[in-house]
Amino acid sequence: AAALGAAGLAAGLWPRAGTAAALVLLAAATLLLRTLASPYSPYAEGSEIARLLPLSVETGRAAPVYRAELRLPGRGAAPAGLVELPLPEVSIVAETLDLRGPLAFLAQFPAGGSIDLRLYRVLGLCGGAAAPYLLPRPRGLAGALVSRIAPLGAGLGFVPGAPPARAYAAAGLLVRSRAASAAPELQPFQSVVYTLGGDGIPRITPSPPGGPLPVGP
């Protein structure tokens, strides 16, 4: 903002050189914000962010292994795939990125002029004392920018049903939040639908209860 203000002042004093500098800075800021937002999907309250379909459980190991299919809609979502879980109750972990004011405007430029923009991405699954199941993180500049501008500790936001962990940047114009849903008990072949609330906490829509998971060899 200070750089753009200085460029605007320069444009008033030296119209040709100052206007060129202001345009370059504006383009750079827009590119930076679009790169920052690229790993995230547009948020719509109540829309589905993930779906988990339990398939089987294998008890021949030291601890039971629950297999399920995880589906993620949205931008940059991983294709449907099988995941192995060490417990029958899991929470979805999601991260939101809130941009306000000029940051929201530039991130959408020239498509829209909203001054409030919320984006999200699913980080993985967690529950109990087991290590979280994490999806691949965005590589390159986008992931590095998010971690540098609004850092969150690696373990924050992974407690099921707890308030979101938040990091603020750019005088509160950028807010990064991370939270985990409550942990529903998985039932065989009954999907659990996860949505994202306006408070940034994932919600669950469990299917009607059924019988025990089928036991594998």
Side-chain angles (χ1 to χ4, degrees), residues 139-158:
R139 297 180 179 179
L141 183 60
L145 279 174
V146 173
S147 298
R148 177 60 66 89
I149 293 175
L152 275 177
L156 296 179
F158 285 87

Side-chain angles (χ1 to χ4, degrees), residues 2-154:
L4 287 172
L9 178 62
L13 298 175
W14 304 284
R16 182 175 298 178
T19 300
L23 290 175
V24 169
L25 285 172
L26 183 64
T30 302
L31 180 60
L32 176 69
L33 286 166
R34 288 194 173 186
T35 302
L36 190 76
S38 61
Y40 296 81
S41 299
Y43 167 78
E45 187 169 1
S47 61
E48 179 179 332
I49 63 170
R51 182 180 295 256
L52 191 69
L53 177 63
L55 298 175
S56 65
V57 59
E58 182 180 338
T59 58
R61 306 185 187 183
V65 175
Y66 299 84
R67 291 188 176 89
E69 183 183 64
L70 179 63
R71 298 181 180 180
L72 302 176
R75 178 190 303 167
L82 294 178
V83 296
E84 290 190 348
L85 311 169
L87 66 167
E89 297 181 359
V90 294
S91 301
I92 203 80
V93 183
E95 186 174 282
T96 59
L97 196 66
D98 288 293
L99 302 175
R100 303 187 178 104
L103 299 188
F105 179 84
L106 290 176
Q108 302 169 88
F109 183 83
S114 172
I115 58 171
D116 287 292
L117 175 64
R118 169 168 286 184
L119 306 166
Y120 80 91
R121 70 185 182 98
V122 175
L123 299 182
L125 301 164
C126 72
Y133 174 88
L134 299 178
L135 297 169
R137 298 181 62 183
R139 297 180 179 179
L141 183 60
L145 279 174
V146 173
S147 298
R148 177 60 66 89
I149 293 175
L152 275 177

Side-chain angles (χ1 to χ4, degrees), residues 117-203:
L117 175 64
R118 169 168 286 184
L119 306 166
Y120 80 91
R121 70 185 182 98
V122 175
L123 299 182
L125 301 164
C126 72
Y133 174 88
L134 299 178
L135 297 169
R137 298 181 62 183
R139 297 180 179 179
L141 183 60
L145 279 174
V146 173
S147 298
R148 177 60 66 89
I149 293 175
L152 275 177
L156 296 179
F158 285 87
V159 178
R166 290 193 171 96
Y168 297 85
L173 296 179
L174 186 150
V175 183
R176 181 187 179 195
S177 302
R178 185 190 299 154
S181 70
E185 183 176 355
L186 303 182
Q187 301 294 341
F189 298 102
Q190 294 179 359
S191 296
V192 180
V193 176
Y194 298 89
T195 60
L196 191 61
D199 55 3
I201 301 177
R203 305 284 194 268

